[in-house]
Amino acid sequence: PVLLDELRVRVPKNKTLKYASVNGKADPVITEVDGEKLYHWGVRNRAELPKDDDRPSKEELRLQVMLSTFPTWDAVGTWKQKLRKECWTCAPEVRKIVGDVTRGKETQIDKAKALTYWVRRHVRYHSRGPGGLGYTPHLPHQVLSNRYGDCKDQAQLLAVMLKEIGLPVWLVTLGTVDDGQILPEVPSPWGSHAILLTKIDGQEYWIDTTVSLAAWDFLPRSDRDRQTYVTRDSELKLMKTPLF
């Protein structure tokens, strides 16, 4: 149990702050301090979370506040486009792998499968945690040289490969189960996982490059029915991943 839980955020007076509470009500008290706005959330006497086995995800039980200084989802899309500007170059060594892996494959779906399996088997997933680069992936040729990377490194490499064979690719950002859902009412670049979305013959295929032993377009439980934002160039769309 928690007697008192508080959150304070101070922003410039003219700065937009979007916020929403999850799994309960928590409204901020807003005051002005030295020409800035101070948002203060406070709740008292929160009951202890249940410790039963097989309980719902903690993201469904915990009172949370999500907040962001991005005013719109368009602003998030523009930010991500600038962030990834240098990440879409298909270096010669990457192009060679694409040619070798897809040689003899006649259909786009066979090529996409082969490239997905190649990335999964040859680029080891390694989550770098707080010491990593945050939202910025390594460049694809660097990931290829290192032969390891986190989810956004792997996804960006595969995205460049799929684009090289002429497929449309969207970068997908989501919060996995227990990390929390993206909220459409709070535009934010936040997410805890990166996957891909492509279309082949009008059908959508969602790809998680961190999955080791599964079909190329299989989504694990932690990725299913999650609110996401997907980006392609400066375009951004809010979408949900499929159920099982």
Side-chain angles (χ1 to χ4, degrees), residues 95-106 111 114:
R95 188 174 293 112
K96 182 179 185 303
I97 294 292
V98 173
D100 292 343
V101 172
T102 60
R103 186 171 294 115
K105 305 289 189 300
E106 295 184 359
K111 292 177 182 180

Side-chain angles (χ1 to χ4, degrees), residues 78-89 136-137 139-140 156 163 171 233:
T78 300
W79 170 85
K80 191 152 190 172
Q81 182 188 28
K82 292 179 180 178
L83 188 74
R84 301 282 183 118
K85 182 180 179 181
E86 306 299 326
C87 296
W88 289 101
T89 300
T136 308
L139 299 178
Q156 186 68 52
K163 190 174 180 181
L171 302 173
D233 298 326

